[in-house]
Amino acid sequence: MEFEDHYRQPQRPKFDCLLFDLDDTLYPYSSGIAAACTKNIQDYMVEKLGIEESKILELSNLLYKNYGTTMAGLRAVGYEFDYDDYHSFVHGRLPYEKIKPDPVFRSILLSLPIRKLIFTNADKVHAIKALKRLGLDDCFEGIICFETLNQPFSPTENSKEIQNIFDIVGHFARPEPGVELPKTPVLCKPSIEAMEYALKIANINPQRTIFFEDSTRNILAGKQVGLQTVLVGKSHRSQGADYALESLHNIREALPELWAEAEQRRAVQYHSGKVALETSVSA
């Protein structure tokens, strides 16, 4: 009996990965970054794409609602633009000084010996800047970002001249039978295809991963691909959310099993090391 207890393997931890959204999840919406980003997107639509300012609000709302991001929607309805130029315009002028260091959350992340990744629709340059401002740039194994899921794109002068723009505003104002919304070439959350591709690229098992996200529709998509889901910034769960957290600082109270599993991992490491030592001695 003592021999069986000595060599009995500790139970395998339930989770082996934590997957975090970035914007409005790792820092609060109240920072003002989201509002600044929205303004930059609208300015890009006017200054770079030549869209009438009076049409921007309704158009951008429809694109975001139907395609996940305004950028994905713009590409779907026919606008062609350089992806790097778009990201540079939209994110390059953000007031990053509004993102403050978060030593409390940093301590929480470092206390968990588990794989941790970022999954954002934004570009890598923006993700790195935001993480550095938070003081979290060394807390994650990697970043799944726009460039992870999408190939570079830059239109030719000819393609710019022959753009055929789908009137999405008119489509919803005067629906025609048999006319469907065009598909976007951009992969991003909450597309199920984007979610599954991200998990595949990062070698993530959704059944053993917890997904932290502020967007209710991204939460629902996460649940549909098999992830355990945590809605961040809210006190009540939305459809598809397994948990709701007003602040990531409350992870330990909401998910104490993560720390229990951390102890299990330490036990596994200790057990493995002890068995290896005894085996080498007996040999």
Side-chain angles (χ1 to χ4, degrees):
M1 184 65 179
E2 289 181 4
F3 180 85
E4 290 178 358
D5 289 341
H6 184 70
Y7 287 98
R8 183 178 295 139
Q9 293 288 337
Q11 185 178 356
R12 184 189 188 194
K14 182 178 179 181
F15 300 111
D16 62 12
C17 184
L18 304 180
L19 188 62
F20 291 90
D21 174 50
L22 175 60
D23 298 304
D24 302 329
T25 295
L26 295 192
Y27 60 86
Y29 177 83
S30 60
S31 67
I33 294 295
C37 191
T38 297
K39 183 181 185 307
N40 290 346
I41 290 171
Q42 293 176 351
D43 288 347
Y44 183 90
M45 292 167 71
V46 173
E47 296 177 28
K48 297 284 189 172
L49 302 181
I51 301 171
E52 292 180 32
E53 191 168 354
S54 61
K55 298 179 179 179
I56 293 297
L57 185 59
E58 184 178 13
L59 176 59
S60 58
N61 285 340
L62 280 174
L63 295 177
Y64 181 81
K65 178 181 178 181
N66 287 280
Y67 291 100
T69 67
T70 307
M71 179 188 189
L74 286 168
R75 288 289 288 117
V77 299
Y79 288 99
E80 297 199 348
F81 48 88
D82 183 277
Y83 291 164
D84 290 339
D85 180 63
Y86 177 91
H87 286 130
S88 178
F89 189 103
V90 170
H91 293 139
R93 54 183 71 186
L94 289 176
Y96 285 101
E97 68 277 4
K98 292 187 176 183
I99 301 177
K100 305 302 181 183
D102 192 343
V104 173
F105 188 52
R106 176 181 173 82
S107 178
I108 289 171
L109 290 173
L110 295 178
S111 71
L112 289 168
I114 184 174
R115 191 180 187 209
K116 296 174 278 284
L117 295 160
I118 295 293
F119 182 18
T120 176
N121 281 337
D123 61 297
K124 190 172 184 177
V125 170
H126 167 71
I128 291 172
K129 284 183 180 179
L131 289 172
K132 283 184 176 179
R133 288 292 307 171
L134 287 162
L136 305 177
D137 49 308
D138 60 344
C139 293
F140 297 93
E141 176 185 310
I143 301 170
I144 305 168
C145 58
F146 181 85
E147 292 92 340
T148 311
L149 305 182
N150 298 276
Q151 294 294 318
F153 177 80
S154 184
T156 64
E157 288 302 319
N158 287 339
S159 64
K160 286 182 181 180
E161 294 175 1
I162 59 173
Q163 290 181 127
N164 184 21
I165 307 302
F166 179 83
D167 181 10
I168 190 172
V169 174
H171 172 78
F172 282 100
R174 301 174 299 278
E176 295 183 19
V179 178
E180 297 182 355
L181 285 176
K183 293 183 178 181
T184 180
V186 173
L187 275 182
C188 63
K189 296 180 289 184
S191 156
I192 297 299
E193 182 184 359
M195 300 288 291
E196 291 178 339
Y197 187 39
L199 298 179
K200 180 180 179 181
I201 287 175
N203 193 27
I204 293 172
N205 179 348
Q207 280 74 38
R208 304 193 66 212
T209 299
I210 304 178
F211 179 44
F212 298 83
E213 170 66 79
D214 70 288
S215 164
T216 55
R217 59 182 179 175
N218 292 350
I219 282 286
L220 183 57
K223 176 52 63 178
Q224 289 174 339
V225 298
L227 294 160
Q228 286 284 305
T229 54
V230 179
L231 180 64
V232 178
K234 305 289 191 301
S235 57
H236 299 287
R237 291 183 295 161
S238 62
Q239 184 181 2
D242 296 301
Y243 305 89
L245 278 179
E246 289 194 49
S247 169
L248 287 173
H249 292 178
N250 301 328
I251 286 182
R252 190 158 196 159
E253 290 77 15
L255 295 163
E257 60 266 35
L258 288 177
W259 278 264
E261 291 186 356
E263 289 301 318
Q264 287 182 20
R265 285 185 178 84
R266 294 186 184 98
V268 169
Q269 291 169 358
Y270 172 79
H271 175 87
S272 300
K274 191 169 183 180
V275 170
L277 177 62
E278 293 181 356
T279 302
S280 63
V281 170
S282 64

